[in-house]
Amino acid sequence: MTSSPAIAGNGSGNGSGTGRLSVTLDGVPETMLWPLWHRVGLAATGRVPADQVLDDPRAAALVARIDYDFQGRFGRPHPAHTIRARLGDRLISDFAAAHDQPIRVVALGEGLETQLWRVDDGRLDWVTLDLAPGIDLRRRLLPAHPRNRMIAASAFSPADWMDEVGTDRPCFFSAAGLLMYAPDRATVTGMLRALAGGFPGGQVYFDTIPHWYSRKTLHGLKVTPGYTVPPMPFALTRAGLADFMAAISGLDLVRAWTYAEPYPRMMPLLSLVSRIGFVRDHVAPLLILGRFGPMV
């Protein structure tokens, strides 16, 4: 993993310049660009129904601004990251609608996600939590937002940042694209247990990969000839979900989806084969919404 991103160009430092910026990343930090490309590139392919893609001009402008071989590195745009983002948008909006007071979204390992601008209702408070290189890159490439705070810390060390988040608002935690990089299961359960104890009444959204995919990444999985994904040690499928949730006091499962379930027209083949019990329980990646115990 690189210790800091290399970035150069003639644009301004607040994301509003017109010059293209060259970004050099590797390891896990490079994955900030991976979902960005798939979300934006998919919209331009016409391969999925127009009403299924994200309306995300902020992300499209970001891709246009970065001087980087997105397609050469990451290949043909795939719907999975768009599905994950669309469902996250919906769940945040649902959480906001369920509360009379403004909510707080805590985006763990946010990278270059532009969800804030897609779901902002003019009242929500947004906390970006990422390692220092990720925070630095966001500051350089995206504009400042009046209700966005940034915390440089590891999401997997919640004791370092929980107090800074605050409990004066209902909190929705997004850990999309994060947990698979945890070194082990204990790290994931420890983080979720801490959040459940510290933010009662909140919710958490995350995704998981199956064990077969995790094993491939540990042996150097190439998604294209030019890009090898970082190791993804943590895996979880529906077959192990009940035991996983039972080990986390204060966290209840609201719902788990396979990736194809929320928007089946975007991944029709996976939607079809996920109806097979073995595929659904052991092969398919998951999107998971959990709820922390009620506020006292």
Side-chain angles (χ1 to χ4, degrees), residues 91-202:
L91 296 177
I92 291 171
S93 296
D94 289 348
F95 187 74
H99 292 85
D100 294 331
Q101 67 183 111
I103 68 166
R104 173 169 295 127
V105 177
V106 185
L108 304 176
E110 188 170 22
L112 292 175
E113 172 61 75
T114 49
Q115 190 170 51
L116 165 59
W117 289 274
R118 296 196 305 269
V119 302
D120 185 18
D121 61 1
R123 304 190 308 153
L124 64 75
D125 180 59
W126 195 278
V127 177
T128 294
L129 190 137
D130 211 330
L131 297 175
I135 295 293
D136 180 61
L137 198 58
R138 280 188 72 86
R139 291 190 188 279
R140 292 172 183 244
L141 291 175
L142 288 167
H145 189 285
R147 282 173 279 105
N148 179 205
R149 290 182 288 144
M150 298 193 187
I151 300 174
S154 169
F156 299 128
S157 300
D160 294 341
W161 52 264
M162 283 174 50
D163 289 345
E164 194 171 347
V165 168
T167 57
D168 55 308
R169 295 185 181 204
C171 287
F172 184 101
F173 289 84
S174 175
L178 173 67
L179 300 191
M180 59 281 297
Y181 299 111
D184 50 42
R185 182 186 181 105
T187 299
V188 173
T189 56
M191 184 193 80
L192 293 175
R193 196 175 293 120
L195 297 186
F199 300 92

